[in-house]
Amino acid sequence: MEKKKLLEVINLETHFTTEEGTVKAVDNVSFTVYRGETVGIVGESGSGKSVTSLSAMRLIPDPPGKIVGGQILYYPLEGDPIDLAKLTENEMQGIRGNEISMIFQEPMTSLNPVFKCGDQVNEAIKLHQNKSDTDAKQLTLELFEKVQLPNPERIFNAYPHQLSGGQKQRVMIAMAMSCNPDILIADEPTTALDVTVQKTILELMNDLKAEIDASIIFITHDLGVIAEIADHVIVMYKGKIVEQGNALEIFRTPRHPYTKGLLACRPPLDYRMSRLPIVADFMDVEFDAEGNRIITEKEASLEKVIESVKVKPSETKARLKALHENEPILKVRNLKTWFPSERNFFGKPTSWVKAVDDVSFEVYPGETMGLVGESGCGKTTLGRSLLRLAPIEGGEVIFNGKNVLNLNDTDMKELRRDMQIIFQDPYSSLNPRMTIGNAIMEPMQVHGLLGNDATRKEKVVELLETVSLEARHFSRYPHEFSGGQRQRICIARALAMEPRFIICDESVSALDVSVQAQVLNLLMELRQKYNFTYIFISHDLSVVKFMSDRMIVMNKGKIEESGIADEIYANPQREYTQKLIAAIPKGKMEDIESRLGRR
């Protein structure tokens, strides 16, 4: 049966005017979306994938952005194709929401925090479908059921802050589906979600697509996710499409070096690597006299690069054996961190949320202990408890022979030189009014290290170079850096104290897979160079497996399973662990072939 066009983008050009000149965010892009098809657009931050989708929705802010060329043809079931690029704003409002809907990346910023979730979906229904309040509410509740929200009536009356990330994303999907659109654009809809929630969202979107016969444009930086959902794949780099084709072609025989890099930098589950391949392993980028980017492919096949960084199982076992011949640097015994959930009239707690509930484990010098689980399992609270950044109800935390929980403020301040933490969000971890050089220098000043600021500045420059930044960055502010660069700055700040023990709390979860690979490689290199001991916290099990010697799986404040990371992945004992591992996007050829029915 002949495929019918639904959206055709022809030579699209979207530019932004900046102080430094014109940025070609979308540069001569062409592709077609057919009815009933899922098109995956993949690329790093700055590749132009989100701007492409915003251009299709005519949501580019003018100024500074503008669609300067090309066509965006929408093909309705009846009548001639409509060039969305030429519509007035009033005409576009009739298309937007009705024929084309969008799910944005961050549901918390997309939902209005002062209105109940049900009212926000109601508003969209009444705006586009001319329904009464009663009918709109009924339709909203039905949509909440379809997107598998528990207790739709409660969710209807809840505010966004009262819902989990996965629940907020479901509300956004319900809103986007409320008018039975022809095209659903999903912009990084699962990036910040746990793997189990992500799997549920992907399955839900597939089911809803089939139910209303819609097409999906799915935007992400993760080819593993694309493998789970896309029929046709578009790879973007610096505003251009560098490769496109059906999912089988792209995954089986990637042609462009950038595509190979994106495929290689995702941590594997079935073997261990000494470092993750990155895009630079496959391509060199140079500039000609006019400033045009020239990409040169290196003589490196995907298979050859991956083979060169594989680690033999015998080497992993030998490393573990050597580590465990030492005394543990950290001993945690029966640790309990509880938060009051209800109080009586006099303010005394009557019930508790047991975020960390009777947890015990040990970590050896030079080891990385992975801490994994879904949101709310207690992993972040456990990490904070080890540094006395959370209210501890009982237990022991013995670091280097000292019980952290018994130390006075002076001794604790001294101990914090040896125990550092790298937080999840590097932007909120850095003072926006302080240059990054001063931000790294500040803890040295607080602890009186290196005698004077001139010597400290030399140390800061050395640290910046250690994390692949430059001396000239010393005087710049956080907003002048990308997310990956900001995370490197936070790592440099943690290194400033010359610690022995570092807690990495979801420190790569918000990064593109290629940038994530660079940061993970950096952490591995630093561990080898300085013999750091890490606790690595993440909801991404593939990342934890790459980083960790041993791992702990947490669920509802307790340890569900613990042991050697490779053994847990190869043979998980608990049903909860099995569920987490099963939810990881694998990107395997046989799965793609099976899904697309082309075995």
Side-chain angles (χ1 to χ4, degrees), residues 537-560:
I537 302 170
S538 180
H539 65 261
D540 188 330
L541 282 85
S542 58
V543 167
V544 169
K545 179 182 181 294
F546 169 73
M547 284 296 298
S548 305
D549 300 297
R550 291 185 299 141
M551 61 183 287
I552 292 170
V553 181
M554 285 193 72
N555 183 23
K556 297 178 181 177
K558 291 183 176 290
I559 292 178
E560 187 82 22

Side-chain angles (χ1 to χ4, degrees), residues 4 55 402 411 437 503 562:
K4 293 182 178 178
S55 298
K402 297 178 181 177
D411 291 339
I503 297 172
S562 65

Side-chain angles (χ1 to χ4, degrees), residues 366-390:
E367 182 178 38
T368 299
M369 175 67 81
L371 202 53
V372 73
E374 297 171 291
S375 294
C377 72
K379 58 187 187 295
T380 289
T381 303
L382 173 56
R384 289 169 179 262
S385 299
L386 302 180
L387 297 175
R388 269 186 33 192
L389 297 175

